[in-house]
Amino acid sequence: MYRHIKLIRQMCGGRRLHRLAMMALVTALTLGLMIALPPFLVGYSRHQAWKDSGLQEAAFFTRAFRFSWPGAGEPSPPAYDELRAFLEEMPGCIPVGVNYCDALLEGEEEIVSLFLYPEALNRAVKTPLSEGTLETAQTSPEALPVVLDSRLRGRYKIGDQFTLTYAEYSWYDFDRQAPAVVTGFLTPDNDHLSTVGGSNARRLKYFADKATGEDPLVAVAVEHPLMGDRPYTGDRDSIILLAGEGEDVDKLIPIWREAIQPLNLGQIDSYSQILSGDTFENILDNADFFMLCVWLLALMVIGIFGESLMQTELWRRRLSVMGMIGMTPGKMVAYLTVGGYGSLFLVNIIGLILGLMIAMSTYEKMDVVLLPLILIVLGFTMLPGLIAFIINAVRVLRMRPMENWNKRR
């Protein structure tokens, strides 16, 4: 046993300062990646619920000015009506907005934000649900089909009917009622479409809203005759632009941009541009950490392969002596693993555990991106050392110490 420990110590010997520097670089890179990567991964994961939903075939108009509307006598401000009319005149363009109102569910005291989709939007985009369906007036003419917040799942079940009380305007009393029926529940993150202000989402607000535990309850329904003519319900920050049937939105976006450019109304972005912009903003938020990680990674890779080149001959000479007294190639590789690279791998695992503790205490939604985060960090921090180890292991296995000794005799 003592001989094994002594051999491992011999394998660890030599250039100890360089080895300590390498372990420090591995630890620093691991912790840096754990701080820099989660916002990017979480930002990207937020879009996964909308994959293949049809949202990829939509564009988003973001206005360049505020609509001031202090009065309540008209269903919508003239500027907004004129804008919608202008967008409708663009080739192949169907502009849609999402109305909303404050509502009370029967027997509940907490206010629910009810988002009302136009029929065209509901046909074009499939809102992700954890259960049930988002039905329309055609399938449920006698009651308003409502998809509820996932946090209401314990209080309601699909098929429950109740009276919905709502306010015609956000500053009015709850003076209107409509029969409603529960037809489904939103995802746990409460993904839903919104084109008005006051969205709960930190990123991609106004159309891909995700709630956290402290956000108000939400519900979604398709516009229904029982609700009457819904009024304009707040300043519009964006309008969703749908392409006509058989039209390609990517080909239409340049035409639409050219149409709005002379009037300086705002900007039009595709879903892919918003996705890349959203995730890129998460990178910019941590640009300093990413640059530090790139620098540390370069130093670490150079150091690991530099150490491998410097130490290879020393390791081979020491293991050759062991091979001449009967040590098998398998045992040689085992000693190389423990004595040569074991310290780097051990430090990598310790740094990974510390980094996970830091990341999970710093960022929300970490459970969604935990596995890809671990794999990416291990790929950056352990892969160079693993490649260097494989190279050295192959060299050791190809050694023939007794044959070389006999040739020299």
Side-chain angles (χ1 to χ4, degrees):
M1 182 65 182
Y2 175 74
R3 288 191 306 167
H4 295 304
I5 297 175
K6 186 176 181 180
L7 181 56
I8 291 174
R9 287 182 61 189
Q10 288 179 348
M11 292 296 297
C12 289
R15 299 184 174 86
R16 292 181 180 176
L17 184 61
H18 185 275
R19 187 180 295 271
L20 289 174
M22 287 305 308
M23 290 191 291
L25 282 173
V26 170
T27 304
L29 177 61
T30 303
L31 296 179
L33 289 172
M34 284 294 184
I35 295 173
L37 284 176
F40 167 74
L41 294 175
V42 170
Y44 187 81
S45 71
R46 295 178 60 136
H47 298 257
Q48 294 307 300
W50 296 95
K51 185 178 180 181
D52 301 325
S53 67
L55 199 59
Q56 296 80 0
E57 304 303 320
F60 301 87
F61 169 83
T62 305
R63 58 172 175 69
F65 58 91
R66 284 187 68 84
F67 295 108
S68 297
W69 185 42
E74 300 179 48
S76 62
Y80 180 72
D81 289 337
E82 292 173 8
L83 174 61
R84 287 288 297 269
F86 179 84
L87 296 177
E88 287 175 355
E89 292 175 359
M90 295 192 305
C93 182
I94 304 173
V96 293
V98 179
N99 284 315
Y100 78 100
C101 63
D102 291 335
L104 286 172
L105 309 183
E106 188 175 5
E108 301 285 347
E109 296 182 357
E110 189 173 359
I111 295 176
V112 174
S113 293
L114 177 63
F115 290 83
L116 297 166
Y117 290 5
E119 182 64 41
L121 180 60
N122 185 52
R123 286 196 304 267
V125 180
K126 183 180 179 181
T127 299
L129 305 177
S130 62
E131 183 181 359
T133 59
L134 183 55
E135 297 181 0
T136 64
Q138 286 74 23
T139 56
S140 181
E142 298 179 356
L144 175 69
V146 177
V147 171
L148 295 180
D149 192 302
S150 61
R151 290 167 290 181
L152 293 170
R153 186 189 298 271
R155 307 180 212 175
Y156 295 89
K157 62 181 184 295
I158 293 179
D160 284 354
Q161 297 187 9
F162 57 89
T163 300
L164 180 76
T165 305
Y166 63 97
E168 182 178 6
Y169 300 100
S170 59
W171 55 87
Y172 275 33
D173 294 330
F174 291 89
D175 56 353
R176 297 201 173 193
Q177 290 185 338
V181 59
V182 179
T183 62
F185 293 92
L186 295 169
T187 63
D189 289 317
N190 287 331
D191 299 275
H192 64 275
L193 299 174
S194 174
T195 55
V196 295
S199 170
N200 301 324
R202 176 174 176 268
R203 301 286 185 189
L204 284 178
K205 57 183 178 179
Y206 315 129
F207 76 92
D209 196 354
K210 286 199 171 186
T212 60
E214 298 179 356
D215 289 331
L217 295 174
V218 296
V220 175
V222 181
E223 290 180 346
H224 197 286
L226 291 173
M227 296 289 289
D229 295 329
R230 285 298 307 144
Y232 175 88
T233 47
D235 289 339
R236 301 282 183 178
D237 285 283
S238 63
I239 296 175
I240 299 176
L241 306 181
L242 304 174
E245 187 175 355
E247 299 280 1
D248 185 352
V249 70
D250 291 328
K251 294 181 180 179
L252 289 173
I253 286 178
I255 301 174
W256 295 345
R257 286 174 176 164
E258 185 177 356
I260 67 170
Q261 186 176 6
L263 302 178
N264 193 27
L265 294 174
Q267 67 182 51
I268 296 175
D269 299 301
S270 67
Y271 177 80
S272 60
Q273 289 171 325
I274 293 176
L275 172 59
S276 60
D278 183 35
T279 51
F280 187 64
E281 282 183 19
N282 284 319
I283 294 177
L284 291 181
D285 290 342
N286 291 274
D288 50 350
F289 280 110
F290 275 108
M291 294 305 296
L292 175 63
C293 290
V294 170
W295 177 242
L296 291 175
L297 178 62
L299 291 178
M300 190 191 75
V301 171
I302 294 170
I304 285 178
F305 284 97
E307 178 181 353
S308 179
L309 292 173
M310 288 187 295
Q311 293 282 75
T312 294
E313 291 306 316
L314 175 62
W315 288 335
R316 293 182 67 186
R317 284 198 298 268
R318 289 176 176 174
L319 290 173
S320 293
V321 175
M322 298 298 137
M324 292 176 66
I325 62 177
M327 180 179 286
T328 63
K331 280 191 175 182
M332 292 182 186
V333 173
Y335 279 111
L336 177 67
T337 304
V338 177
Y341 290 92
S343 57
L344 288 178
F345 295 157
L346 179 62
V347 165
N348 186 274
I349 297 301
I350 294 174
L352 188 66
I353 294 173
L354 291 175
L356 283 173
M357 293 172 61
I358 294 173
M360 294 183 74
S361 63
T362 305
Y363 302 109
E364 296 180 0
K365 309 278 185 193
M366 273 296 297
D367 56 325
V368 179
V369 299
L370 199 57
L371 180 59
L373 175 64
I374 292 174
L375 293 178
I376 291 173
V377 172
L378 285 178
F380 277 111
T381 58
M382 188 173 282
L383 188 59
L386 188 61
I387 293 174
F389 164 72
I390 292 173
I391 293 172
N392 274 324
V394 171
R395 288 177 176 175
V396 169
L397 291 173
R398 294 177 63 183
M399 289 193 311
R400 299 291 183 268
M402 289 303 299
E403 292 180 10
N404 293 335
W405 173 259
N406 291 329
K407 286 179 182 179
R408 294 176 183 174
R409 292 180 63 181

